[in-house]
Amino acid sequence: MVLPTSVEEASRLLPTAEGGASAKLLAGGQDLLTELKEHLVEPDTLVNLKSVPGLDTIEWNEAGELTIGALVTLTDLEEEAGVVEKLPILSEAAASIASAQIRSVGTVGGNLNQRPRCWYYRAEHAPCLKKGGSECYAFEGRNKYNAILGGGPSYIVHPSDLAPALVALGAKVTLKSHSTSRQLLLEDFYTLPSDGDILTETRLKPDEVLTHVHIPKQRAGMRSTYLKFKERASYDFALSSVALCLWLDQGQITRTRIVLGGVAPKPWRTVKGEQAILGKRVDARTIEMAREACLDGAVTLSENGFKIPLTKGLLTRAFQKLA
Amino acid sequence: MATTPSPQDKVAWEPRDEMTVLNKDARRLDGPVKVTGRAVYPHDVRLPNMVYARLLVHPAPRSKLTRVDVEPARQVPGVVYAEVLKSGGEEVLYQGDDAVLAVVAAETPEAAEDGVRAVVVELEELWPPMVTPEQALADDSPKITENGNVVVAGTRGDQAEVEATLGRCDAVVEASYSLPVQHHACLETHGCVVDFDGEKATTYPSTQMVTGSTGMFARELGISRSDVRVLTPYMGGGFGAKFGIGKEGAVASEVAKALMRPVHLMLTRPQEFLMAGNRSGSKQVMKGGATKDGVFQALYVEADKHGGMGRGSLPTPPYIYDVASNASTIRQVHTATDANRAMRAPGHPQASFAMESMVDELSYAIGMDPVEFRKKNLSSEVYHRQLDRVAKEIGWAEHEHRTEPGKVDGNVRVGIGFGVSTWGSGGRPGCKCEVRIEADGSIRSSVGTQDLGTGSRTYVASIVAEEFGLELSQVEARIGDSDLPPSVGSGGSVTTGSLAPAVKDAAHNARVALCDKVAPVLECDPDELTWQGGKVYPTGEPDRALTWKEACATVGSDPLVAMGEFQPHLHQGRVHGAQAAKISVDTLTGEIKVLKMVTIQDQGIPLIRSALRSQINGGMVQALSYGLLEQRVHDADLGYMLTANLEDYKIAGVQEIPEMVAIIDDDDTRQTVCGMAEATCIPGHAAIANALYNACGVRIRDLPLSADRVVTELAKRI
Ligand SMILES: Cc1cc2nc3c(=O)[nH]c(=O)nc-3n(C[C@H](O)[C@H](O)[C@H](O)COP(=O)(O)OP(=O)(O)OC[C@H]3O[C@@H](n4cnc5c(N)ncnc54)[C@H](O)[C@@H]3O)c2cc1C
């Protein structure tokens, strides 16, 4: 384990696109440690990001924009006064994650970069697509928790709860290496298995560090919520979740963001669903339109068909909550 | 307090209302050491020069081994021992202890783990893996036991006669109910520490049978039983899975013999799921009929038990209910998976779910209140009063819809359901207890029993405290050591029925002996002494009292030692219970919240009321978890168990726990003791499933009532 003191130094310790050092970034370790214990990754070196100063703050600027450091813990995010007041969607998403113990050490950067939970990916002996094998076992095997949208050839779902909420807020991320720095919309940060490199879920380059998350100032009047269905209330990943931002003017929807979690290999923004309801009042018919449009194109596997009625149910509950 | 009966009489339990220590709440004697982490569990045992052993368990069920090479493991720094347990040419017949291929021991657990990973295994996995009942039942599937994949375990009754009766019924329900395999999921995995010097051994197994384990270690170590000492003062849960020392105990003994160093071998959590037993699953196809007057007339059952390589367990239908015309066939359907073991009320929660669902379905089918329907078909009056009590406590009379379910209307609906339980839980000979009193006033009660978390340690002391009118804290309890007087294993809820009478007998005998010493000092008849409030005095003359210490001074330089043994008349088997559950279900998303559970349970004399309530609460939690969440999942093609950890094998946590009301049935006036812990986990999940139906008319016949099943059914109706 090495303790870098700057992002540049951390980046130099990481492998490059061409390969090199077998090293992994370590933040709170809540995902990485499980991967290490299950021998899904076996790096020679752990680069402990926690020794890099300045990445653990939540800052609001005068323009009302929010910058969240990668090392901010989920608990700190959940409890930050401005987030609680202005961005309930984000505080609710953070609060829905895992257990109090895990939230108190898990970080924002680690949460956004965590790896899939699919049974087969996590089973060391199953050489699945995500581990460089040739088959997605979930496709024909046990797939209750797998994707109904955007799947193929791998059917994982992205496990992060922060991601759908942040995508709904139009968040950007800063990615830095020792020689480069760039910003991406979080929405574009995530990839589908069909986009190319199946061994990763993001566009993060091997020597890049996600340093900050930026949330733009939201237009006035936003109502927002993150509704997550957990099979086990005490701590669980989403069977399905809905991140919803809604702007109403005299009862009419002037703007909305709908992002689904737990149903696709990346946070699933449904522009179609958003457009379908613009200008409408929030009533049973509108909700029905949103439900249909959001799940347009869903393809179910043998055991995950329930995610369609479940997600529709959550959408209704989310609209009811905000209207 | 103890005055009557006089010491020379036959030992008997005091009247309950005169008890000062028993029949009360009590703080557990081991509470402080447990919550402060000072209690040393088998996992925590650290001995000088100890090595850590780990097993290599292949995860797939059936394979032909071509090579198992431990040489690379021996090269791992820190590894001191590596041996093949199953070699090239041999076959692995099933997932579990048959797939233990090698053992590695090392100076640290990490080195042992690295050693295990270094072992080279070459094998051919056999297909199909035979992990599902469907695979076992397929025509062309390989035979996985000598007797084949399907064995008829029992048939009874006359199917034709049942069919004829069904023809005369007003309502007939045909349904298939299924329950998955459940895991014990003890907090402490199986395993032990074996310390062997070539002649004598001290062992520290996580066991629910301290005395009986000596023989098992003796056999493995090749020494006599008297040269084995078993020490298990604390252990982290058994639920029926920890009687034998298992493959892990045998291998630990082997390594100890080879190294002559203490060996620590505990299963990893995945291994615990793969090879430490389970509750068998079952599928029960039923046809039941009732007449409009509320009589459950006929029942035909075809049931399969899914016990892996084991036989599975299921009591014969119609289980608790009186159904005059009944017939059944029960089969064992074997899969190439770990054998089932005893688990808290073996077979009963399975039978209960199917029967209570059927009873419920019939009552709604004839439009009768399900509580009344149950009472009509249960002959024991005990159930009638118990059902009335839980119905009252859960608010049944005020509930809106009692004879037909609520509707799926997109809202959150509330429902209530019921179930009853039974258990034999007798006592048997085998326990002996020693009570020892010293001249300085110290007193201890010793027996080689075990405390699985039930509170048995505490009543080993409190029965004695009651006898002498002492405070619980004045008596020391010693258990968990095979050098102490023997005890039966803790299975079938027999511990209390077997142990408490022996402790009572020893306490009684100690009192008789101490009365003989004290009487001359107090110048009275030994029969006429009252022990109360830490004092002893001639009955009726409290002002002539000796303090406890003064009384003990009469003992002299050698301690007073009294033995006691099982006294059949102090115990009585057979318990009854009833449970009710109240849930809410979001008929849009399928989210179920259990709002409240109520249980009433009888057992004769409540030795420690708080411990009884704790057992009742635990039973409710275990049933809730089984009913809503627990599910072991296999990939039928690869054969792997996909849920061999506590993240994917979901167990209820704090957020799932409802308001729980645990009622001790004080109308049971039997002046005897009896274990009851198993009965409490029998009907809870059935009550929850019945509550779901009552809430919204969705009948789920397969457990668990997981969100995918519930929302799928709801979606069909909205
Ligand atoms: C039992 C359990 C339940 C859970 N439930 C949920 C849940 O309900 N919802 C949910 O969203 N999550 C859940 N999680 C996941 C958990 O929230 C995340 O694992 C945690 O937030 C990760 O943060 P960390 O700091 O511990 O990351 P680490 O484990 O340290 O890192 C995770 C991954 O991200 C990489 N990484 C870390 N920081 C950066 C960075 N700044 N830039 C680039 N890469 C980085 C690491 O290399 C590693 O691959 C659960 C985890 C467990 C163990």
Side-chain angles (χ1 to χ4, degrees), chain B residues 24 26 32 36 41 98 111 119 177 195 258 282 289 323 326 389 415 425 446 460 520 534 564 580 591 601 681 715:
Chain B
K24 302 265 183 282
T36 54
Y41 290 79
D98 203 51
V119 176
Y177 306 98
D195 184 6
S282 89
V323 187
N326 71 78
R389 182 73 193 274
S425 54
S446 311
V460 164
E591 183 183 16
Q601 182 63 49
C681 80

Side-chain angles (χ1 to χ4, degrees), chain A residues 26 43 46 56 68 70 116 120 123 129 139 155 182 185 191 241 321:
Chain A
L26 170 74
L46 292 182
D56 57 357
I68 306 164
Y120 297 96
L129 271 184
F139 181 61
Y155 288 84
R182 57 181 180 136
L185 270 175
T191 57
S241 68
K321 186 171 169 195

Side-chain angles (χ1 to χ4, degrees), chain A residues 24-32 34 49 70 74 96-98 102 105-107 109-111 113-114 117 159-161 204 209-210 228 235-237:
Chain A
K24 287 291 287 179
L25 268 185
L26 170 74
Q30 294 307 296
D31 185 38
L32 190 60
T34 62
L49 200 59
L74 300 170
S96 80
I97 295 169
I102 291 173
V105 279
T107 67
N111 187 274
N113 286 290
Q114 63 177 303
R117 308 303 298 195
S160 169
D161 283 305
L204 187 81
V209 177
L210 189 160
K228 167 180 173 184
Y235 71 94
D236 216 341
F237 291 90

Side-chain angles (χ1 to χ4, degrees), chain A residues 39 117 119-120 124-125 137 142 144-145 229 231-237 239 306 309-310 313-314 316-317, chain B residues 59 117 410 586 588-589 591 629 633-635 640 642 646-648 650-651 653-656 707-708 712:
Chain A
H39 297 269
R117 308 303 298 195
W119 279 331
Y120 297 96
E124 189 194 350
H125 293 268
Y137 295 104
R142 308 304 303 261
K144 170 177 170 184
Y145 298 113
F229 193 99
E231 194 167 39
R232 165 182 50 198
S234 294
Y235 71 94
D236 216 341
F237 291 90
L239 277 187
F306 74 95
L310 174 59
L314 287 177
T316 302
R317 291 282 179 254
Chain B
R117 295 186 64 81
D586 182 334
L588 220 45
T589 63
E591 183 183 16
L629 293 169
V633 178
H634 272 98
D635 182 289
Y640 299 146
L642 300 173
L646 288 173
E647 181 189 328
D648 297 313
K650 297 182 182 179
I651 296 177
V654 279
Q655 304 274 356
E656 272 74 28
D708 52 332
T712 302

